[in-house]
Amino acid sequence: MAETYGESAAYRPFICSECSRSFTRSENLQRHKRARHGGSSRKSFECAGCRARFSRSDVYKRHGTRCRLLASLKDERRPENRETTPPAMTDSVPLPIVPLEAGENWQAEQATFATDISQAYSGSPSSIENGESTASHIKAYFDHFHPSFPFLHRPTFALSSTPGLLVNIIAVIGSLYARHNVVDSDADARWRRDTWRNGNRELQRLVASDYSEFRKTWVLQAWLLHIIYGAYLKDTLEFEESKRMMRTIVDAVRELGLLRQGITMPDSMPWEAQVESNAFHDDAKTPYTRWMGYIASESLKLALYALVLIDSHLFLPANMRLLISPIEFGWELPFPSNLWDAKDPQIWQRRVIEHFGFVPESYFYGPRGLPTASLSIATQQLMTESPSPELLAALASSPFATLCVLANINALIRDFTRCYYQLPPSPSDPSAFHILTQHQNKQVYSAMRAIAKVVKDQVYTIDNPHFSLWRTVEILHCSVKISLCRPDHLLIGGIVDNSVIAGLATSAHLNLGNYVSVRRSAPLLKPHLWDDEGVLAVLNDLASVLSRITGEEGDGVPPEAPWVTACSYGILLCIWSALKRARQDIQAHLDTFNELPRMSESCMLIFNTLMESVLRLGGVNERDPRIWSTERHAFVSLLEQGEFLFVSLLLKICRTRTVWGIGPSMATVIDEILATPQATTALA
C-alpha cells in the first residue's frame, strides 16, 4: 500500500495547501485555487440575470446561455413576438436558474412546457398551426412516452431554451400519442416524416466534421429519439437510416471514451461530495449547486444507459447483434428515480438524505458500494446466491436501472444461444434450460429470482408515477425466462430481417409453422423442436404476464414504448404456439386411446392453465366449468374453441396498440396466417 501511495503522489505532485486535492499540472492547481479557495473577490464574472459569480470566463459564458432570468431581461428589451423565435442551439440541455430562496414553491411559480404556451417553439411545418399545438404534443410526450423512457429531466425542461432539433423530435413522437385514437391525416404523417428527415440531416451535418459534438447531452438525446422513431416506422428505408445512425453514435461514443465514466468525468467535482471548503460557505447556494451538478451528470449517464437499452431492444425483433459490449460500458447504475423526479433543490436534497442518510462522499463508489459501479458488475452480483443488499435497494429505487440490468441478462442469454447452436446438436438434453450448463443456469436463474422479488415488493398501480417502467420490467422478465427455454426462431434459424415489422411477422410464421416463411431455415428446424418441459418451466409466468399485457382490474393498457409492444407480441406468440401444440397433443391422445389424457399430463396442464387466463381476460366473469373437466364431451368443446378464443384476444390486443403501428401490422399478419390452409404448413 505504501508503494501505491508513493506512485500516486508522484503522479500528482501539485498539492493544494488548503485542501487534500492534488493535481498533475500546476495550471490545474492554480485554477482549482481560484475556483475553490479564491473567495468572491476573485470571481470577476457576474451574471446580469441571477447575479451568480464565476472565476472562469468559459463557465460564465455557458451559464449565460442557460440563465432564464438573463433571457427574460433580454426579452424585456426586445419587443418582438417570442412565438416566432426558435430556441437557440446551446451546448447542452439548458436548465432554468432556480431562485435560491424560492424553496419548494419554485416549480409552481415557474412557467413550464405545459403552461407556457407563449414560449412554445413554432418552427414546425404548416400542419402544426401554432405553438399551442406543439406544446400539446410535447405534453403528450411527457405524459405517455417519457414514463417508459425517462432520460429527459422533466422538472427543468423549458421550450424557450431547448435546442430546436430536440424540441422537434419530441413533438413528433408526442404527436403519435396525442393522436393515437384519431385517424391520421396525410398532412400530419407528412409533417412527421419531413421533420424526422430534416432533423436527421441537421444532426449528421452537426457531427460530420467533429464527433466531439456528441459530448453535448442534448445531441445524444436528440440522436437517440431520431433512431427510435425511424426504427419503428413501417418504411424499410427509415429503418436502414436508423441502423446507420446507431452505428455512427456507437462509433462516436467509443472513440470519445464516453462509454467509461472514469474517462468522461475524471476530475469533475462530484455532486455528492460533502465539501467543507471555503467555496461552499454560502449554505443557501449549496442545495442548488449540488442539484445542478447532479442533473448535468445524471442526464449524461441516463442518455448513455438509454443508448445501451436501445442497442439491446431496438433491433432485437430483426435479429441483429448488439453493437455495444456490456463489458466496455463502465458507468455507475442510475440513482433512485425519485431523485430524478425532484422538482426543486430542497426536495432533491431531502430525498438524497432519505436514501443515503447523508450526502455521500464518493462519486464512483458511494454509499451503494462496488456492486452498483457498472452494469456488468451489477449483473454478476445478481448471479450470486446472495446479492448485495445495496444493489437490491438500488434496483428497487430505480426501475430504469432494473430494466437495463434485465436487458443485459437477455443479451447474455442470446450470446450463449448463438454459441450453443453453432456446436454439434445434442439430441437428448435433460435440462429445460438447455442453452446453459446446470451451473450457469443456476447463476442466471438466481439473478432472475432476485429481480422477480424486487418487482414483487413494488406494490404499484396505474396511478404510480413509475407504473409504466415496472410493468415493462415484468414483461421483459417473462420474455427473458422464455428465451432460456424456447430460443428465438430467428436467432437459431440465422434470419436477419430488414425491419422491426418484418422481423415480428417472420417470427409469427416461424412460431406457427408457415411454410412460406420457414423456407430459409426449414433444414435447421424440426417438428416439435422443443418438448413441453420448457413451457412448463414458464407456465405461471405466461399466465401472469398475459394479464399485464391485456390490462386487468380496471388498470387498462397505458400507451407504451414500441419495444414493449414488440416484446409483448413475442410472448403472445409463445402462448399461441404452446396452446396449439397442447391442443394437437391432446387430440392425438384422444385419437389413439379414445380418452382424455390425465390432468397431470403436461399438455393438459398447459392447455387448462392458459385457457383459464384467456377466458377470464376475454370477459367471462364466471369460471368456465369445462376447464379442468374430466368429462370428455364438455372438454372437447373447449378444445375446439380454445385456439379461436385466444386468437380473438390476441387480435384485440394488437388492434389497441395503434400508437406506433406495430399492433395493426401484426393484426394483419395474424389474419394472413388464419387464412393460410393448414396443408401449407411445414411444421404441422
Side-chain angles (χ1 to χ4, degrees):
M1 293 297 292
E3 292 179 1
T4 303
Y5 176 80
E7 292 173 1
S8 177
Y11 183 68
R12 294 175 176 266
F14 301 98
I15 303 174
C16 180
S17 60
E18 300 185 48
C19 68
S20 60
R21 296 199 66 182
S22 60
F23 302 87
T24 58
R25 303 171 65 182
S26 61
E27 52 266 35
N28 292 346
L29 172 61
Q30 297 305 319
R31 185 170 59 203
H32 164 77
K33 285 185 175 181
R34 287 196 302 271
R36 302 299 177 190
H37 310 300
S40 60
S41 61
R42 302 293 297 275
K43 297 180 178 181
S44 55
F45 302 97
E46 180 177 348
C47 176
C50 64
R51 301 299 177 186
R53 301 182 66 88
F54 303 90
S55 59
R56 294 171 53 184
S57 61
D58 58 332
V59 177
Y60 163 70
K61 289 179 181 178
R62 283 200 300 270
H63 168 80
T65 63
R66 303 175 182 177
C67 182
R68 293 187 68 187
L69 296 179
L70 181 61
S72 64
L73 288 176
K74 292 179 180 178
D75 287 338
E76 289 175 3
R77 299 167 189 162
R78 187 189 313 161
E80 294 93 338
N81 187 353
R82 293 174 66 185
E83 286 189 6
T84 60
T85 305
M89 299 291 285
T90 55
D91 288 348
S92 60
V93 175
L95 301 174
I97 296 300
V98 181
L100 300 178
E101 66 278 2
E104 296 184 12
N105 294 325
W106 166 75
Q107 182 73 10
E109 297 170 359
Q110 296 297 309
T112 65
F113 67 89
T115 60
D116 190 11
I117 301 302
S118 65
Q119 296 190 30
Y121 177 70
S122 59
S124 306
S126 58
S127 59
I128 300 294
E129 296 179 356
N130 51 50
E132 185 173 357
S133 297
T134 304
S136 66
H137 290 165
I138 293 177
K139 184 178 185 302
Y141 172 94
F142 280 103
D143 287 346
H144 302 301
F145 184 72
H146 176 78
S148 297
F149 196 58
F151 81 136
L152 298 178
H153 194 247
R154 182 174 187 173
T156 55
F157 182 88
L159 283 176
S160 60
S161 55
T162 302
L165 287 173
L166 182 56
V167 169
N168 281 345
I169 189 61
I170 291 173
V172 165
I173 293 177
S175 70
L176 292 174
Y177 292 89
R179 303 178 62 84
H180 73 279
N181 287 325
V182 180
V183 177
D184 212 8
S185 67
D186 292 339
D188 289 329
R190 185 167 55 253
W191 165 71
R192 282 196 291 265
R193 183 179 62 252
D194 292 344
T195 304
W196 178 80
R197 288 176 178 172
N198 292 336
N200 279 353
R201 284 195 293 268
E202 286 298 313
L203 286 171
Q204 291 173 16
R205 181 191 59 79
L206 187 66
V207 304
S209 59
D210 188 2
Y211 270 172
S212 64
E213 291 292 327
F214 279 113
R215 295 187 186 276
K216 301 173 182 177
T217 305
W218 77 264
V219 176
L220 282 174
Q221 293 167 338
W223 196 280
L224 292 176
L225 290 178
H226 278 81
I227 291 175
I228 291 170
Y229 183 79
Y232 285 100
L233 290 178
K234 296 181 181 180
D235 197 322
T236 303
L237 295 178
E238 274 77 5
F239 182 80
E240 294 295 331
E241 180 61 28
S242 288
K243 284 197 301 182
R244 285 192 290 270
M245 292 184 72
M246 190 68 188
R247 294 189 183 102
T248 299
I249 192 174
V250 170
D251 290 343
V253 298
R254 186 176 284 133
E255 181 177 315
L256 295 171
L258 291 177
L259 294 177
R260 307 295 297 187
Q261 186 170 355
I263 296 175
T264 306
M265 297 188 298
D267 296 320
S268 61
M269 176 62 72
W271 66 267
E272 306 97 318
Q274 185 68 30
V275 180
E276 300 295 341
S277 64
N278 295 333
F280 293 97
H281 278 321
D282 188 351
D283 292 337
K285 291 185 178 180
T286 301
Y288 169 74
T289 305
R290 288 176 178 164
W291 190 47
M292 289 293 102
Y294 160 78
I295 292 171
S297 62
E298 195 73 358
S299 293
L300 178 58
K301 180 198 297 182
L302 289 177
L304 292 168
Y305 265 95
L307 173 62
V308 172
L309 189 64
I310 289 172
D311 187 35
S312 301
H313 281 291
L314 206 62
F315 304 109
L316 184 65
N319 191 30
M320 296 180 183
R321 298 198 69 168
L322 301 185
L323 298 178
I324 299 175
S325 167
I327 297 176
E328 66 178 325
F329 185 72
W331 278 82
E332 183 185 27
L333 290 184
F335 282 95
S337 295
N338 67 351
L339 299 186
W340 187 242
D341 298 337
K343 296 180 179 180
D344 65 47
Q346 284 70 31
I347 294 177
W348 173 81
Q349 180 159 284
R350 281 205 308 270
R351 291 176 179 177
V352 170
I353 296 173
E354 288 172 3
H355 279 286
F356 304 124
F358 60 94
V359 182
E361 297 181 355
S362 171
Y363 185 83
F364 297 107
Y365 305 104
R368 296 185 296 172
L370 182 63
T372 62
S374 75
L375 190 59
S376 288
I377 293 176
T379 305
Q380 291 170 2
Q381 271 282 320
L382 284 177
M383 289 185 186
T384 63
E385 293 186 1
S386 55
S388 164
E390 291 82 8
L391 173 59
L392 296 178
L395 296 179
S397 63
S398 175
F400 187 73
T402 308
L403 186 62
C404 292
V405 171
L406 254 181
N408 191 36
I409 295 174
N410 191 41
L412 177 68
I413 293 172
R414 288 182 68 85
D415 281 343
F416 267 112
T417 307
R418 194 173 278 109
C419 295
Y420 178 86
Y421 279 94
Q422 294 184 61
L423 296 173
S426 176
S428 59
D429 195 325
S431 173
F433 305 93
H434 55 85
I435 302 167
L436 313 173
T437 66
Q438 291 184 358
H439 179 66
Q440 290 168 338
N441 176 68
K442 180 180 179 182
Q443 291 175 319
V444 174
Y445 198 77
S446 295
M448 300 297 291
R449 186 170 57 247
I451 292 175
K453 186 178 186 306
V454 168
V455 176
K456 184 179 179 180
D457 291 342
Q458 299 298 316
V459 181
Y460 62 95
T461 57
I462 197 168
D463 57 350
N464 187 304
H466 303 132
F467 172 84
S468 294
L469 274 176
W470 284 121
R471 175 178 171 273
T472 301
V473 170
E474 262 194 310
I475 292 173
L476 180 58
H477 184 272
C478 180
S479 177
V480 173
K481 291 189 73 172
I482 291 173
S483 66
L484 276 169
C485 308
R486 296 171 64 89
D488 183 8
H489 286 74
L490 268 70
L491 182 63
I492 64 172
I495 300 172
V496 178
D497 251 307
N498 57 3
S499 73
V500 169
I501 301 296
L504 292 174
T506 304
S507 292
H509 287 292
L510 288 171
N511 271 278
L512 300 171
N514 184 276
Y515 175 76
V516 174
S517 296
V518 302
R519 64 186 184 279
R520 289 180 289 178
S521 57
L524 303 176
L525 302 177
K526 298 178 180 179
H528 289 220
L529 184 61
W530 303 284
D531 57 20
D532 294 333
E533 187 180 0
V535 176
L536 287 175
V538 293
L539 186 58
N540 287 334
D541 298 270
L542 293 175
S544 176
V545 82
L546 183 59
S547 301
R548 277 298 181 192
I549 294 173
T550 307
E552 62 172 350
E553 298 176 357
D555 287 343
V557 180
E560 58 191 15
W563 49 87
V564 181
T565 304
C567 185
S568 299
Y569 184 71
I571 295 173
L572 294 172
L573 286 180
C574 177
I575 295 174
W576 190 2
S577 61
L579 273 175
K580 191 181 187 71
R581 166 75 182 277
R583 181 184 62 80
Q584 291 172 347
D585 288 349
I586 294 171
Q587 188 63 53
H589 193 281
L590 278 170
D591 294 341
T592 304
F593 301 102
N594 198 28
E595 63 179 7
L596 289 172
R598 293 189 300 271
M599 286 298 165
S600 58
E601 293 287 339
S602 58
C603 57
M604 295 293 284
L605 290 173
I606 292 170
F607 185 85
N608 282 298
T609 302
L610 294 179
M611 285 308 304
E612 196 167 26
S613 294
V614 169
L615 289 171
R616 177 170 54 84
L617 296 170
V620 179
N621 296 325
E622 297 181 358
R623 185 178 181 276
D624 194 312
R626 295 176 296 176
I627 298 178
W628 304 104
S629 173
T630 57
E631 201 279 313
R632 174 173 174 168
H633 179 74
F635 188 84
V636 167
S637 67
L638 178 62
L639 189 67
E640 293 173 349
Q641 298 176 15
E643 189 173 353
F644 170 78
L645 293 172
F646 173 77
V647 173
S648 299
L649 180 63
L650 175 58
L651 287 170
K652 178 183 176 182
I653 292 172
C654 289
R655 287 165 181 159
T656 57
R657 266 68 172 184
T658 59
V659 175
W660 291 88
I662 297 176
S665 297
M666 294 304 101
T668 301
V669 171
I670 294 169
D671 288 335
E672 291 174 354
I673 291 174
L674 296 178
T676 303
Q678 187 70 21
T680 64
T681 59
L683 304 182

